[in-house]
Amino acid sequence: MDHNTIALLMFSTMLLMMITGQRVFGAIGFVAVVAALTLWGPGGSDMGISAVFKLMKWTPLLTLPMFVFMGYVMSESRLAEDLYKMFHVWFGPLPGGLAVGTILLMVMISVMNGLSVAGMAIGATIALPELMRRGYDKLMISGVIQAGSSLGILIPPSVVLVLFSLIARRPVSNLWLAGVFPGLLMATLFVAYIIIRTMMNPALAPAMPAEERATITLRQKLALLRAGLLPVFIFVAMMVPFLKAGPA
Amino acid sequence: MPRWSIAYVRLVEALCRRIGRFAMYLLFVMMAIMLWSSFTKIGRFPAIWTLEMAQFTLVAYYLLGAPWTLQMDTNVRMDLLYARYSPKGQAIWDIFTVFALMFYIGVMLYGAIDSTVYSFTHDERNPTAWRPVLWPLKLIISFSFLLMLLQSIALLIRDVATIRGQRI
């Protein structure tokens, strides 16, 4: 068979198998195994197991379970809830303030964790119910949470940049530093978008009512700022060894 | 459902769950190995066994957890159409496509056993400074593929029960 025909056949079969809703690894693996057996003959049965060993020797894979574990620790420790309360109190009076606070919360979470999924999970469980309760536009808040969670892989530490650095053989520290500015720029643009959009149409994101604002004292406000210290500490503890070591 | 099939599902699922929960804790073993690796590197007596041992633990962690993942149905599915069906409709689709999954796992199991036997009889070692024997790791891989195959048969029995409107 012509190699183009093989590629087309394998790709279309894979898509067809995935549409049926079977587990993705099963669908892809089935196509791969059938193609290996029919095209290579009996020797194809060992191709799968040699792929397992090829993957084992790919060291970046070791970092993945650690980052996932870290995300779990953060969501179970309710660290994000304290942070969210802080942003809520400080940005509440602004129109669309809670949405801005959500973006900043995502920045803080990205500073501690390198996966986008963690930010998405925290945003959906903590920020979403609160935003809905306050009558924010549903289309806007789902956009806010999704856009905000995409910062996770840009702002250091980032898993994707670790994987990239090992493929491209570039130092991780440089790549991580290179992610800081674009990440913060993106966050600023998101915030600017939210503010401009709510200025044009205040019904999308009502501000915190004045009577609720009056109940919060300055002392409480300052006490809540403490929640922001821990992420900064984690960030420094993770980044300093990298930067001191120089190009690793 | 026949009584033997219910007993089979119970037995296999209990086994996979226990092994999966054990594999969960291998994460801490991996962390300990890598921490030790860092210590030895700071102390200028770098250990030669840590990277490979961490990789072996990683393979065991992923693969021994896989049967439990199958059981909990937490694998990624492309549920563009699948999510719109009723539980019964999903079971009908799965009854057909689970055979593709079984075939894949079966071929992987065949390859794994083949490779294990080769490692055992030829005393195959990893081509590195540490030179560990490979058959214990390959035995773990074969065992987890066997468990995945058993678990996918249990999935099929569960789907048949769903279509008949029974619960296991």
Side-chain angles (χ1 to χ4, degrees), chain A residues 17-26 29-30 33-34 45-46 48-49 53 56 59 62 65-66 69, chain B residues 27 31 51 55-56 59 62 70 73 76-77 81 97-98 100-101 104 107-108 110-112 114 138 155:
Chain A
M17 285 297 297
M18 292 219 294
I19 288 279
T20 62
Q22 187 48 265
R23 295 159 183 81
V24 169
F25 88 94
F30 174 69
V33 156
V34 168
S45 63
D46 284 359
I49 198 76
F53 277 88
M56 180 190 89
T59 34
L62 274 167
M66 312 289 169
F69 179 65
Chain B
L27 180 71
M31 283 180 182
L51 177 63
Q55 285 174 338
F56 293 164
V59 171
Y62 277 136
L70 271 181
D73 200 12
V76 180
R77 289 171 185 268
L81 301 173
T97 56
V98 84
L101 184 72
Y104 164 58
V107 172
M108 290 298 277
Y110 174 79
D114 210 32
K138 289 191 175 173
L155 288 177

mmCIF file of all heavy atoms in Angstrom, chain A residues 17-26 29-30 33-34 45-46 48-49 53 56 59 62 65-66 69, chain B residues 27 31 51 55-56 59 62 70 73 76-77 81 97-98 100-101 104 107-108 110-112 114 138 155:
data_model
loop_
_atom_site.group_PDB
_atom_site.id
_atom_site.type_symbol
_atom_site.label_atom_id
_atom_site.label_comp_id
_atom_site.label_asym_id
_atom_site.label_seq_id
_atom_site.Cartn_x
_atom_site.Cartn_y
_atom_site.Cartn_z
ATOM 1 N N MET A 17 -13.326 5.695 15.234
ATOM 2 C CA MET A 17 -13.348 4.979 16.513
ATOM 3 C C MET A 17 -13.563 5.943 17.676
ATOM 4 O O MET A 17 -14.219 5.604 18.655
ATOM 5 C CB MET A 17 -12.037 4.226 16.739
ATOM 6 C CG MET A 17 -11.865 2.981 15.923
ATOM 7 S SD MET A 17 -13.102 1.761 16.317
ATOM 8 C CE MET A 17 -12.718 1.438 18.026
ATOM 9 N N MET A 18 -12.986 7.167 17.545
ATOM 10 C CA MET A 18 -13.123 8.120 18.654
ATOM 11 C C MET A 18 -14.546 8.644 18.749
ATOM 12 O O MET A 18 -15.054 8.883 19.834
ATOM 13 C CB MET A 18 -12.139 9.266 18.487
ATOM 14 C CG MET A 18 -10.722 8.794 18.659
ATOM 15 S SD MET A 18 -9.636 9.894 19.516
ATOM 16 C CE MET A 18 -9.501 11.262 18.482
ATOM 17 N N ILE A 19 -15.208 8.795 17.575
ATOM 18 C CA ILE A 19 -16.594 9.294 17.565
ATOM 19 C C ILE A 19 -17.518 8.350 18.336
ATOM 20 O O ILE A 19 -18.484 8.777 18.957
ATOM 21 C CB ILE A 19 -17.076 9.448 16.091
ATOM 22 C CG1 ILE A 19 -16.387 10.632 15.421
ATOM 23 C CG2 ILE A 19 -18.580 9.600 16.024
ATOM 24 C CD1 ILE A 19 -16.970 11.960 15.732
ATOM 25 N N THR A 20 -17.197 7.035 18.313
ATOM 26 C CA THR A 20 -18.075 6.083 19.001
ATOM 27 C C THR A 20 -18.088 6.300 20.506
ATOM 28 O O THR A 20 -18.939 5.745 21.188
ATOM 29 C CB THR A 20 -17.638 4.637 18.744
ATOM 30 O OG1 THR A 20 -16.328 4.465 19.257
ATOM 31 C CG2 THR A 20 -17.669 4.288 17.289
ATOM 32 N N GLY A 21 -17.117 7.054 21.019
ATOM 33 C CA GLY A 21 -17.136 7.353 22.447
ATOM 34 C C GLY A 21 -16.377 6.357 23.281
ATOM 35 O O GLY A 21 -16.408 6.434 24.502
ATOM 36 N N GLN A 22 -15.694 5.417 22.646
ATOM 37 C CA GLN A 22 -14.814 4.530 23.429
ATOM 38 C C GLN A 22 -13.646 5.355 23.954
ATOM 39 O O GLN A 22 -13.344 6.421 23.424
ATOM 40 C CB GLN A 22 -14.322 3.388 22.538
ATOM 41 C CG GLN A 22 -13.537 2.308 23.255
ATOM 42 C CD GLN A 22 -14.199 1.792 24.530
ATOM 43 O OE1 GLN A 22 -13.899 2.256 25.607
ATOM 44 N NE2 GLN A 22 -15.102 0.839 24.403
ATOM 45 N N ARG A 23 -13.021 4.875 25.030
ATOM 46 C CA ARG A 23 -11.889 5.591 25.625
ATOM 47 C C ARG A 23 -10.855 5.893 24.554
ATOM 48 O O ARG A 23 -10.541 5.030 23.727
ATOM 49 C CB ARG A 23 -11.258 4.727 26.712
ATOM 50 C CG ARG A 23 -12.183 4.501 27.861
ATOM 51 C CD ARG A 23 -11.764 3.289 28.648
ATOM 52 N NE ARG A 23 -12.708 3.041 29.718
ATOM 53 C CZ ARG A 23 -13.859 2.419 29.559
ATOM 54 N NH1 ARG A 23 -14.200 1.976 28.357
ATOM 55 N NH2 ARG A 23 -14.672 2.237 30.567
ATOM 56 N N VAL A 24 -10.301 7.117 24.595
ATOM 57 C CA VAL A 24 -9.424 7.567 23.519
ATOM 58 C C VAL A 24 -8.199 6.676 23.395
ATOM 59 O O VAL A 24 -7.782 6.325 22.291
ATOM 60 C CB VAL A 24 -9.025 9.045 23.747
ATOM 61 C CG1 VAL A 24 -7.922 9.438 22.819
ATOM 62 C CG2 VAL A 24 -10.220 9.938 23.527
ATOM 63 N N PHE A 25 -7.637 6.233 24.529
ATOM 64 C CA PHE A 25 -6.434 5.391 24.427
ATOM 65 C C PHE A 25 -6.765 4.063 23.763
ATOM 66 O O PHE A 25 -5.959 3.521 23.007
ATOM 67 C CB PHE A 25 -5.778 5.201 25.801
ATOM 68 C CG PHE A 25 -6.283 4.040 26.613
ATOM 69 C CD1 PHE A 25 -5.657 2.811 26.564
ATOM 70 C CD2 PHE A 25 -7.379 4.195 27.434
ATOM 71 C CE1 PHE A 25 -6.112 1.744 27.321
ATOM 72 C CE2 PHE A 25 -7.854 3.138 28.188
ATOM 73 C CZ PHE A 25 -7.230 1.913 28.130
ATOM 74 N N GLY A 26 -7.997 3.565 23.999
ATOM 75 C CA GLY A 26 -8.408 2.310 23.373
ATOM 76 C C GLY A 26 -8.566 2.471 21.876
ATOM 77 O O GLY A 26 -8.131 1.626 21.094
ATOM 78 N N GLY A 29 -5.080 3.061 20.321
ATOM 79 C CA GLY A 29 -4.290 1.841 20.442
ATOM 80 C C GLY A 29 -4.777 0.756 19.502
ATOM 81 O O GLY A 29 -3.968 0.048 18.899
ATOM 82 N N PHE A 30 -6.091 0.652 19.345
ATOM 83 C CA PHE A 30 -6.644 -0.374 18.464
ATOM 84 C C PHE A 30 -6.172 -0.164 17.032
ATOM 85 O O PHE A 30 -5.692 -1.098 16.382
ATOM 86 C CB PHE A 30 -8.171 -0.338 18.544
ATOM 87 C CG PHE A 30 -8.864 -1.257 17.588
ATOM 88 C CD1 PHE A 30 -8.787 -2.627 17.753
ATOM 89 C CD2 PHE A 30 -9.583 -0.751 16.528
ATOM 90 C CE1 PHE A 30 -9.427 -3.475 16.873
ATOM 91 C CE2 PHE A 30 -10.215 -1.589 15.644
ATOM 92 C CZ PHE A 30 -10.146 -2.959 15.818
ATOM 93 N N VAL A 33 -2.432 -0.962 16.757
ATOM 94 C CA VAL A 33 -2.107 -2.381 16.848
ATOM 95 C C VAL A 33 -2.520 -3.113 15.574
ATOM 96 O O VAL A 33 -1.766 -3.930 15.030
ATOM 97 C CB VAL A 33 -2.801 -2.961 18.107
ATOM 98 C CG1 VAL A 33 -3.007 -4.428 17.974
ATOM 99 C CG2 VAL A 33 -1.985 -2.664 19.335
ATOM 100 N N VAL A 34 -3.718 -2.781 15.070
ATOM 101 C CA VAL A 34 -4.177 -3.451 13.848
ATOM 102 C C VAL A 34 -3.253 -3.103 12.682
ATOM 103 O O VAL A 34 -2.849 -3.980 11.900
ATOM 104 C CB VAL A 34 -5.646 -3.053 13.540
ATOM 105 C CG1 VAL A 34 -6.027 -3.490 12.142
ATOM 106 C CG2 VAL A 34 -6.574 -3.680 14.544
ATOM 107 N N SER A 45 3.618 -7.379 16.810
ATOM 108 C CA SER A 45 3.037 -7.545 18.141
ATOM 109 C C SER A 45 3.954 -7.000 19.232
ATOM 110 O O SER A 45 3.504 -6.721 20.332
ATOM 111 C CB SER A 45 2.735 -9.014 18.405
ATOM 112 O OG SER A 45 3.946 -9.745 18.404
ATOM 113 N N ASP A 46 5.244 -6.851 18.930
ATOM 114 C CA ASP A 46 6.162 -6.335 19.952
ATOM 115 C C ASP A 46 6.331 -4.822 19.890
ATOM 116 O O ASP A 46 7.021 -4.237 20.718
ATOM 117 C CB ASP A 46 7.538 -6.999 19.798
ATOM 118 C CG ASP A 46 7.521 -8.411 20.339
ATOM 119 O OD1 ASP A 46 6.451 -8.814 20.836
ATOM 120 O OD2 ASP A 46 8.537 -9.109 20.262
ATOM 121 N N GLY A 48 4.153 -2.455 20.396
ATOM 122 C CA GLY A 48 3.499 -1.761 21.505
ATOM 123 C C GLY A 48 4.376 -1.727 22.731
ATOM 124 O O GLY A 48 4.549 -0.682 23.362
ATOM 125 N N ILE A 49 4.966 -2.869 23.062
ATOM 126 C CA ILE A 49 5.746 -2.943 24.287
ATOM 127 C C ILE A 49 7.041 -2.137 24.147
ATOM 128 O O ILE A 49 7.510 -1.541 25.122
ATOM 129 C CB ILE A 49 6.003 -4.416 24.678
ATOM 130 C CG1 ILE A 49 6.400 -4.518 26.137
ATOM 131 C CG2 ILE A 49 7.024 -5.083 23.818
ATOM 132 C CD1 ILE A 49 5.240 -4.357 27.048
ATOM 133 N N PHE A 53 8.607 1.162 26.530
ATOM 134 C CA PHE A 53 9.957 1.426 27.034
ATOM 135 C C PHE A 53 10.522 2.734 26.509
ATOM 136 O O PHE A 53 11.276 3.407 27.204
ATOM 137 C CB PHE A 53 10.878 0.248 26.703
ATOM 138 C CG PHE A 53 10.741 -0.830 27.717
ATOM 139 C CD1 PHE A 53 9.784 -1.811 27.580
ATOM 140 C CD2 PHE A 53 11.517 -0.823 28.864
ATOM 141 C CE1 PHE A 53 9.617 -2.779 28.542
ATOM 142 C CE2 PHE A 53 11.352 -1.782 29.834
ATOM 143 C CZ PHE A 53 10.401 -2.758 29.675
ATOM 144 N N MET A 56 9.119 5.240 28.720
ATOM 145 C CA MET A 56 9.716 5.177 30.056
ATOM 146 C C MET A 56 11.023 5.960 30.092
ATOM 147 O O MET A 56 11.326 6.642 31.066
ATOM 148 C CB MET A 56 9.980 3.726 30.429
ATOM 149 C CG MET A 56 10.603 3.563 31.789
ATOM 150 S SD MET A 56 11.153 1.899 32.079
ATOM 151 C CE MET A 56 12.819 1.964 31.448
ATOM 152 N N THR A 59 12.493 11.167 30.191
ATOM 153 C CA THR A 59 12.488 11.649 31.577
ATOM 154 C C THR A 59 11.445 12.720 31.910
ATOM 155 O O THR A 59 10.991 12.749 33.041
ATOM 156 C CB THR A 59 13.875 12.162 31.980
ATOM 157 O OG1 THR A 59 14.485 12.739 30.848
ATOM 158 C CG2 THR A 59 14.733 11.046 32.510
ATOM 159 N N LEU A 62 8.415 12.141 34.235
ATOM 160 C CA LEU A 62 8.480 12.044 35.693
ATOM 161 C C LEU A 62 7.880 13.262 36.385
ATOM 162 O O LEU A 62 7.416 13.169 37.518
ATOM 163 C CB LEU A 62 9.940 11.912 36.135
ATOM 164 C CG LEU A 62 10.522 10.507 36.150
ATOM 165 C CD1 LEU A 62 12.021 10.575 36.293
ATOM 166 C CD2 LEU A 62 9.945 9.710 37.289
ATOM 167 N N PRO A 65 3.209 13.538 37.179
ATOM 168 C CA PRO A 65 2.421 13.183 38.366
ATOM 169 C C PRO A 65 2.653 14.115 39.542
ATOM 170 O O PRO A 65 1.722 14.383 40.310
ATOM 171 C CB PRO A 65 2.867 11.760 38.698
ATOM 172 C CG PRO A 65 3.965 11.430 37.811
ATOM 173 C CD PRO A 65 4.022 12.407 36.714
ATOM 174 N N MET A 66 3.872 14.667 39.645
ATOM 175 C CA MET A 66 4.168 15.585 40.749
ATOM 176 C C MET A 66 3.323 16.859 40.642
ATOM 177 O O MET A 66 2.774 17.337 41.625
ATOM 178 C CB MET A 66 5.641 15.991 40.743
ATOM 179 C CG MET A 66 6.597 14.856 40.591
ATOM 180 S SD MET A 66 6.665 13.847 42.046
ATOM 181 C CE MET A 66 7.582 12.456 41.421
ATOM 182 N N PHE A 69 -0.259 16.129 41.453
ATOM 183 C CA PHE A 69 -0.393 15.974 42.902
ATOM 184 C C PHE A 69 -0.427 17.338 43.590
ATOM 185 O O PHE A 69 -1.241 17.581 44.488
ATOM 186 C CB PHE A 69 0.780 15.137 43.423
ATOM 187 C CG PHE A 69 0.769 14.918 44.909
ATOM 188 C CD1 PHE A 69 -0.241 14.196 45.503
ATOM 189 C CD2 PHE A 69 1.766 15.430 45.711
ATOM 190 C CE1 PHE A 69 -0.258 13.996 46.866
ATOM 191 C CE2 PHE A 69 1.761 15.235 47.074
ATOM 192 C CZ PHE A 69 0.740 14.521 47.645
ATOM 193 N N LEU B 27 3.634 7.145 44.188
ATOM 194 C CA LEU B 27 4.039 8.534 43.948
ATOM 195 C C LEU B 27 5.030 8.985 45.022
ATOM 196 O O LEU B 27 6.023 9.644 44.727
ATOM 197 C CB LEU B 27 2.796 9.424 43.963
ATOM 198 C CG LEU B 27 3.043 10.908 43.736
ATOM 199 C CD1 LEU B 27 3.441 11.155 42.303
ATOM 200 C CD2 LEU B 27 1.815 11.717 44.062
ATOM 201 N N MET B 31 8.908 10.230 44.812
ATOM 202 C CA MET B 31 9.409 11.477 45.402
ATOM 203 C C MET B 31 10.634 11.200 46.263
ATOM 204 O O MET B 31 11.617 11.940 46.216
ATOM 205 C CB MET B 31 8.336 12.106 46.269
ATOM 206 C CG MET B 31 7.267 12.800 45.500
ATOM 207 S SD MET B 31 6.101 13.466 46.678
ATOM 208 C CE MET B 31 4.917 14.160 45.594
ATOM 209 N N LEU B 51 17.793 7.543 38.777
ATOM 210 C CA LEU B 51 16.947 7.909 37.644
ATOM 211 C C LEU B 51 16.182 6.695 37.119
ATOM 212 O O LEU B 51 14.973 6.738 36.919
ATOM 213 C CB LEU B 51 17.794 8.519 36.527
ATOM 214 C CG LEU B 51 16.990 8.871 35.275
ATOM 215 C CD1 LEU B 51 15.961 9.933 35.589
ATOM 216 C CD2 LEU B 51 17.880 9.325 34.152
ATOM 217 N N GLN B 55 12.204 5.865 37.088
ATOM 218 C CA GLN B 55 11.463 5.545 35.860
ATOM 219 C C GLN B 55 10.691 4.240 36.002
ATOM 220 O O GLN B 55 9.547 4.136 35.570
ATOM 221 C CB GLN B 55 12.428 5.446 34.684
ATOM 222 C CG GLN B 55 12.916 6.792 34.212
ATOM 223 C CD GLN B 55 13.963 6.672 33.149
ATOM 224 O OE1 GLN B 55 14.622 5.645 33.020
ATOM 225 N NE2 GLN B 55 14.146 7.725 32.385
ATOM 226 N N PHE B 56 11.326 3.241 36.642
ATOM 227 C CA PHE B 56 10.642 1.959 36.836
ATOM 228 C C PHE B 56 9.406 2.156 37.716
ATOM 229 O O PHE B 56 8.337 1.599 37.442
ATOM 230 C CB PHE B 56 11.570 0.934 37.487
ATOM 231 C CG PHE B 56 12.718 0.508 36.621
ATOM 232 C CD1 PHE B 56 13.814 -0.148 37.158
ATOM 233 C CD2 PHE B 56 12.700 0.749 35.258
ATOM 234 C CE1 PHE B 56 14.862 -0.532 36.355
ATOM 235 C CE2 PHE B 56 13.748 0.366 34.447
ATOM 236 C CZ PHE B 56 14.835 -0.275 34.998
ATOM 237 N N VAL B 59 6.620 3.674 35.696
ATOM 238 C CA VAL B 59 5.904 2.720 34.842
ATOM 239 C C VAL B 59 4.919 1.918 35.688
ATOM 240 O O VAL B 59 3.750 1.737 35.319
ATOM 241 C CB VAL B 59 6.903 1.787 34.119
ATOM 242 C CG1 VAL B 59 6.178 0.676 33.416
ATOM 243 C CG2 VAL B 59 7.713 2.577 33.125
ATOM 244 N N TYR B 62 1.911 4.203 36.656
ATOM 245 C CA TYR B 62 0.925 4.413 35.603
ATOM 246 C C TYR B 62 0.153 3.141 35.282
ATOM 247 O O TYR B 62 -1.070 3.139 35.190
ATOM 248 C CB TYR B 62 1.609 4.901 34.315
ATOM 249 C CG TYR B 62 1.877 6.389 34.270
ATOM 250 C CD1 TYR B 62 3.095 6.891 33.827
ATOM 251 C CD2 TYR B 62 0.901 7.292 34.636
ATOM 252 C CE1 TYR B 62 3.334 8.246 33.772
ATOM 253 C CE2 TYR B 62 1.130 8.650 34.588
ATOM 254 C CZ TYR B 62 2.348 9.122 34.151
ATOM 255 O OH TYR B 62 2.569 10.452 34.098
ATOM 256 N N LEU B 70 -9.795 2.206 34.446
ATOM 257 C CA LEU B 70 -10.816 1.631 33.568
ATOM 258 C C LEU B 70 -12.110 1.408 34.348
ATOM 259 O O LEU B 70 -13.204 1.713 33.881
ATOM 260 C CB LEU B 70 -10.332 0.279 33.037
ATOM 261 C CG LEU B 70 -9.532 0.229 31.759
ATOM 262 C CD1 LEU B 70 -9.204 -1.208 31.445
ATOM 263 C CD2 LEU B 70 -10.327 0.812 30.625
ATOM 264 N N ASP B 73 -14.002 4.455 35.134
ATOM 265 C CA ASP B 73 -14.400 5.137 33.906
ATOM 266 C C ASP B 73 -13.953 6.594 33.913
ATOM 267 O O ASP B 73 -14.718 7.503 33.623
ATOM 268 C CB ASP B 73 -15.917 5.057 33.716
ATOM 269 C CG ASP B 73 -16.303 5.306 32.272
ATOM 270 O OD1 ASP B 73 -15.386 5.307 31.433
ATOM 271 O OD2 ASP B 73 -17.485 5.503 31.992
ATOM 272 N N VAL B 76 -10.180 9.437 29.335
ATOM 273 C CA VAL B 76 -10.733 10.477 28.465
ATOM 274 C C VAL B 76 -11.525 9.810 27.344
ATOM 275 O O VAL B 76 -11.053 8.862 26.727
ATOM 276 C CB VAL B 76 -9.602 11.326 27.864
ATOM 277 C CG1 VAL B 76 -10.170 12.405 26.977
ATOM 278 C CG2 VAL B 76 -8.768 11.920 28.956
ATOM 279 N N ARG B 77 -12.723 10.290 27.113
ATOM 280 C CA ARG B 77 -13.513 9.834 25.975
ATOM 281 C C ARG B 77 -13.819 11.040 25.128
ATOM 282 O O ARG B 77 -13.917 12.148 25.644
ATOM 283 C CB ARG B 77 -14.852 9.257 26.436
ATOM 284 C CG ARG B 77 -14.775 7.934 27.143
ATOM 285 C CD ARG B 77 -16.144 7.647 27.694
ATOM 286 N NE ARG B 77 -16.203 6.447 28.495
ATOM 287 C CZ ARG B 77 -16.509 5.254 28.024
ATOM 288 N NH1 ARG B 77 -16.753 5.098 26.745
ATOM 289 N NH2 ARG B 77 -16.567 4.219 28.820
ATOM 290 N N LEU B 81 -20.795 12.913 20.771
ATOM 291 C CA LEU B 81 -22.117 12.301 20.615
ATOM 292 C C LEU B 81 -22.451 11.453 21.831
ATOM 293 O O LEU B 81 -23.589 11.389 22.262
ATOM 294 C CB LEU B 81 -22.127 11.405 19.373
ATOM 295 C CG LEU B 81 -21.803 12.078 18.053
ATOM 296 C CD1 LEU B 81 -21.676 11.047 16.950
ATOM 297 C CD2 LEU B 81 -22.903 13.066 17.700
ATOM 298 N N THR B 97 -17.708 -1.486 21.033
ATOM 299 C CA THR B 97 -16.357 -0.915 20.935
ATOM 300 C C THR B 97 -15.425 -1.470 21.989
ATOM 301 O O THR B 97 -14.213 -1.348 21.858
ATOM 302 C CB THR B 97 -16.408 0.612 21.052
ATOM 303 O OG1 THR B 97 -17.064 0.949 22.272
ATOM 304 C CG2 THR B 97 -17.135 1.226 19.894
ATOM 305 N N VAL B 98 -15.970 -2.112 23.047
ATOM 306 C CA VAL B 98 -15.079 -2.635 24.076
ATOM 307 C C VAL B 98 -14.225 -3.761 23.513
ATOM 308 O O VAL B 98 -13.116 -4.015 24.003
ATOM 309 C CB VAL B 98 -15.884 -3.069 25.321
ATOM 310 C CG1 VAL B 98 -16.420 -4.472 25.162
ATOM 311 C CG2 VAL B 98 -15.035 -2.992 26.573
ATOM 312 N N ALA B 100 -12.721 -3.679 20.666
ATOM 313 C CA ALA B 100 -11.528 -3.031 20.129
ATOM 314 C C ALA B 100 -10.514 -2.805 21.249
ATOM 315 O O ALA B 100 -9.315 -3.050 21.092
ATOM 316 C CB ALA B 100 -11.899 -1.698 19.479
ATOM 317 N N LEU B 101 -11.038 -2.358 22.402
ATOM 318 C CA LEU B 101 -10.173 -2.138 23.571
ATOM 319 C C LEU B 101 -9.518 -3.449 23.995
ATOM 320 O O LEU B 101 -8.313 -3.507 24.245
ATOM 321 C CB LEU B 101 -11.037 -1.571 24.695
ATOM 322 C CG LEU B 101 -10.327 -1.181 25.983
ATOM 323 C CD1 LEU B 101 -9.516 0.066 25.745
ATOM 324 C CD2 LEU B 101 -11.326 -0.946 27.087
ATOM 325 N N TYR B 104 -6.763 -4.524 21.599
ATOM 326 C CA TYR B 104 -5.557 -3.726 21.823
ATOM 327 C C TYR B 104 -4.806 -4.220 23.062
ATOM 328 O O TYR B 104 -3.608 -4.488 23.016
ATOM 329 C CB TYR B 104 -5.948 -2.255 21.964
ATOM 330 C CG TYR B 104 -4.894 -1.372 22.559
ATOM 331 C CD1 TYR B 104 -3.630 -1.268 21.975
ATOM 332 C CD2 TYR B 104 -5.155 -0.629 23.698
ATOM 333 C CE1 TYR B 104 -2.671 -0.451 22.530
ATOM 334 C CE2 TYR B 104 -4.200 0.186 24.244
ATOM 335 C CZ TYR B 104 -2.956 0.277 23.658
ATOM 336 O OH TYR B 104 -2.009 1.084 24.209
ATOM 337 N N VAL B 107 -3.190 -7.648 22.465
ATOM 338 C CA VAL B 107 -1.931 -7.629 21.703
ATOM 339 C C VAL B 107 -0.793 -7.097 22.570
ATOM 340 O O VAL B 107 0.329 -7.624 22.552
ATOM 341 C CB VAL B 107 -2.093 -6.784 20.413
ATOM 342 C CG1 VAL B 107 -0.762 -6.598 19.721
ATOM 343 C CG2 VAL B 107 -3.060 -7.446 19.478
ATOM 344 N N MET B 108 -1.096 -6.067 23.372
ATOM 345 C CA MET B 108 -0.072 -5.528 24.271
ATOM 346 C C MET B 108 0.363 -6.588 25.277
ATOM 347 O O MET B 108 1.548 -6.720 25.590
ATOM 348 C CB MET B 108 -0.609 -4.308 25.023
ATOM 349 C CG MET B 108 -0.821 -3.081 24.184
ATOM 350 S SD MET B 108 0.677 -2.450 23.441
ATOM 351 C CE MET B 108 1.332 -1.495 24.786
ATOM 352 N N TYR B 110 0.249 -9.847 24.869
ATOM 353 C CA TYR B 110 1.034 -10.852 24.158
ATOM 354 C C TYR B 110 2.478 -10.375 23.988
ATOM 355 O O TYR B 110 3.430 -11.097 24.286
ATOM 356 C CB TYR B 110 0.386 -11.134 22.795
ATOM 357 C CG TYR B 110 1.191 -12.053 21.921
ATOM 358 C CD1 TYR B 110 1.170 -13.417 22.138
ATOM 359 C CD2 TYR B 110 1.977 -11.543 20.889
ATOM 360 C CE1 TYR B 110 1.917 -14.261 21.348
ATOM 361 C CE2 TYR B 110 2.723 -12.384 20.091
ATOM 362 C CZ TYR B 110 2.693 -13.737 20.322
ATOM 363 O OH TYR B 110 3.440 -14.563 19.550
ATOM 364 N N GLY B 111 2.612 -9.108 23.553
ATOM 365 C CA GLY B 111 3.957 -8.545 23.379
ATOM 366 C C GLY B 111 4.708 -8.477 24.691
ATOM 367 O O GLY B 111 5.905 -8.768 24.752
ATOM 368 N N ALA B 112 3.990 -8.126 25.761
ATOM 369 C CA ALA B 112 4.639 -7.984 27.072
ATOM 370 C C ALA B 112 5.147 -9.333 27.573
ATOM 371 O O ALA B 112 6.271 -9.436 28.071
ATOM 372 C CB ALA B 112 3.663 -7.376 28.069
ATOM 373 N N ASP B 114 5.860 -11.974 25.751
ATOM 374 C CA ASP B 114 6.949 -12.333 24.851
ATOM 375 C C ASP B 114 8.257 -11.695 25.322
ATOM 376 O O ASP B 114 9.293 -12.346 25.448
ATOM 377 C CB ASP B 114 6.583 -11.798 23.463
ATOM 378 C CG ASP B 114 7.157 -12.652 22.363
ATOM 379 O OD1 ASP B 114 7.266 -13.865 22.594
ATOM 380 O OD2 ASP B 114 7.496 -12.083 21.308
ATOM 381 N N LYS B 138 9.254 -5.982 33.560
ATOM 382 C CA LYS B 138 8.403 -6.495 32.478
ATOM 383 C C LYS B 138 7.310 -7.395 33.030
ATOM 384 O O LYS B 138 6.208 -7.455 32.472
ATOM 385 C CB LYS B 138 9.271 -7.236 31.466
ATOM 386 C CG LYS B 138 10.121 -6.269 30.677
ATOM 387 C CD LYS B 138 10.795 -6.908 29.514
ATOM 388 C CE LYS B 138 11.525 -5.852 28.708
ATOM 389 N NZ LYS B 138 12.331 -6.439 27.641
ATOM 390 N N LEU B 155 -16.171 -4.906 32.404
ATOM 391 C CA LEU B 155 -16.918 -3.773 31.840
ATOM 392 C C LEU B 155 -18.004 -4.269 30.895
ATOM 393 O O LEU B 155 -19.140 -3.785 30.911
ATOM 394 C CB LEU B 155 -15.972 -2.847 31.071
ATOM 395 C CG LEU B 155 -14.997 -1.987 31.856
ATOM 396 C CD1 LEU B 155 -14.122 -1.210 30.889
ATOM 397 C CD2 LEU B 155 -15.736 -1.033 32.756
#
